[in-house]
Amino acid sequence: MKKDWKKKYRGKGGLMLLVSIPIIWYILFYYVPIYGLQIAFKRYNPSLGITGSPWVGFHYFKQFFNSYYFSEITLNTIILSVYTLLLGFPLPILLALLVNELRSHGMKKAVQNITYIPHFLSVVVIVSMVTIFSNPQYGLFNKISGLFGIPPVDFMASPGAFRSLYVFSNVWQHMGFNSIIYIAALAAIDPSLYEAATIDGASRLRKIISISLPCILPTIMILLIMRIGSIMNVGFEKVLLMQNTINKSTSEIISTFIYTNGIQQGQYSYSTAVGLFNSAINCVLLVIANKTSKKISGSSLW
């Protein structure tokens, strides 16, 4: 058995070393910190350490559930996540289908490069652009709305506009990059299927509906399950940069709440309990989405 193992992996030391780097990274930053989750059930005192801090059970969970802001920040997180999913998930698929239908190789590369570039911009740059475009005096959004006689509005100071600004700027930034995996899946489709459809007189739209979409459906379902499993994990960096005292009624979400209470105010046990609650919801949604996808489409993570 030992000889078979050595024979199987002989000469693959470089490949194993390359694979070991992300494995070690995940172990250090995802699995080792799990030990600290017990802080959520203790009144953590840095001087006593994790093991020496007194046990309080579900005290901090009850404190969060009974707080007046529980329903508000939870609802804000769900609305922003679902809004992002409904708009941000199908558009990369549509973009991939459109790119796949382009006959000019040069045009296809140009569209891909143009749509990829925003993904590599810093979050600070994106928020700065949104702030400038939203300015009531010289912003692009108000210049366009002014053409239709609409009075200028400070969108960054409007609670009702926060979610749309966040979602649309997020979709614009990541749509091209997120379409890469769908473009790769479309490229793997057997060309003979399209040739047979052409002989049968199928239009481009019919080919997309009958060939392209069914062939990439397993990829779509796997990515959808993963997105649903992290639906409560709204990136707090962008939200925090766009947040102000005026739009806080819609921009305060669980991740920014954890940052404010855990890092700025030092309530480590309380913020850990809130974060664990958030992760538990994601875990439940992941299991439900996986089972639903397996029953409907036959594709699942496990």
Side-chain angles (χ1 to χ4, degrees):
M1 188 71 179
K2 191 175 181 180
K3 291 182 179 180
D4 293 340
W5 185 87
K6 288 183 178 180
K7 184 178 180 181
K8 184 177 181 180
Y9 293 100
R10 185 179 300 163
K12 299 180 180 179
L15 182 61
M16 294 177 66
L17 178 63
L18 184 65
V19 173
S20 67
I21 295 174
I23 293 176
I24 294 172
W25 187 87
Y26 270 96
I27 292 173
L28 290 177
F29 295 100
Y30 279 85
Y31 291 97
V32 173
I34 292 177
Y35 171 77
L37 286 180
Q38 58 184 302
I39 294 176
F41 306 95
K42 293 187 174 185
R43 185 173 285 108
Y44 177 66
N45 188 332
S47 61
L48 299 176
I50 296 178
T51 55
S53 299
W55 187 271
V56 294
F58 293 94
H59 170 75
Y60 293 108
F61 292 93
K62 295 177 181 178
Q63 180 181 337
F64 178 59
F65 297 152
N66 295 328
S67 62
Y68 68 91
Y69 45 74
F70 167 72
S71 58
E72 180 180 294
I73 65 174
T74 304
L75 186 62
N76 286 342
T77 304
I78 294 174
I79 292 175
L80 191 61
S81 300
V82 173
Y83 191 179
T84 304
L85 179 65
L86 292 177
L87 192 65
F89 186 79
L91 286 180
I93 301 174
L94 179 61
L95 177 62
L97 292 171
L98 293 175
V99 170
N100 188 62
E101 291 300 314
L102 292 175
R103 293 293 177 259
S104 172
H105 184 72
M107 179 63 70
K108 183 180 294 188
K109 289 296 182 182
V111 172
Q112 287 179 283
N113 290 330
I114 292 172
T115 54
Y116 293 170
I117 290 173
H119 174 79
F120 300 100
L121 296 177
S122 168
V123 176
V124 178
V125 174
I126 297 297
V127 175
S128 299
M129 292 172 60
V130 173
T131 303
I132 294 173
F133 292 161
S134 303
N135 189 280
Q137 297 180 354
Y138 53 81
L140 177 64
F141 298 153
N142 282 293
K143 290 292 184 182
I144 296 174
S145 61
L147 298 176
F148 301 94
I150 302 174
V153 179
D154 188 356
F155 292 102
M156 290 295 289
S158 174
F162 168 78
R163 294 187 181 114
S164 294
L165 286 176
Y166 176 89
V167 172
F168 279 94
S169 61
N170 197 64
V171 170
W172 171 78
Q173 182 181 8
H174 301 295
M175 181 174 65
F177 189 82
N178 291 339
S179 67
I180 293 176
I181 190 168
Y182 300 113
I183 294 174
L186 287 168
I189 298 175
D190 188 354
S192 62
L193 296 176
Y194 292 106
E195 294 172 0
T198 302
I199 295 174
D200 291 339
S203 63
R204 284 193 176 187
L205 181 59
R206 175 51 60 185
K207 292 176 185 177
I208 292 174
I209 296 174
S210 301
I211 300 175
S212 299
L213 283 175
C215 288
I216 65 172
L217 183 60
T219 303
I220 293 174
M221 295 308 300
I222 294 298
L223 293 178
L224 180 60
I225 294 170
M226 296 175 67
R227 285 289 297 273
I228 293 176
S230 60
I231 197 170
M232 298 293 288
N233 292 341
V234 183
F236 83 98
E237 300 94 342
K238 187 176 180 180
V239 176
L240 191 67
L241 290 171
M242 295 179 64
Q243 191 178 84
N244 53 58
T245 54
I246 301 176
N247 65 20
K248 203 167 185 179
S249 61
T250 56
S251 64
E252 183 73 330
I253 57 176
I254 291 178
S255 57
T256 57
F257 178 81
I258 293 172
Y259 171 78
T260 303
N261 287 268
I263 305 298
Q264 296 183 341
Q265 299 181 15
Q267 300 182 34
Y268 304 113
S269 296
Y270 186 45
S271 58
T272 303
V274 177
L276 183 57
F277 162 74
N278 189 65
S279 299
I281 294 177
N282 281 333
C283 185
V284 172
L285 290 175
L286 177 63
V287 174
I288 294 174
N290 187 74
K291 288 186 177 181
T292 304
S293 175
K294 192 172 184 178
K295 288 182 179 179
I296 295 175
S297 65
S299 300
S300 61
L301 292 174
W302 67 84

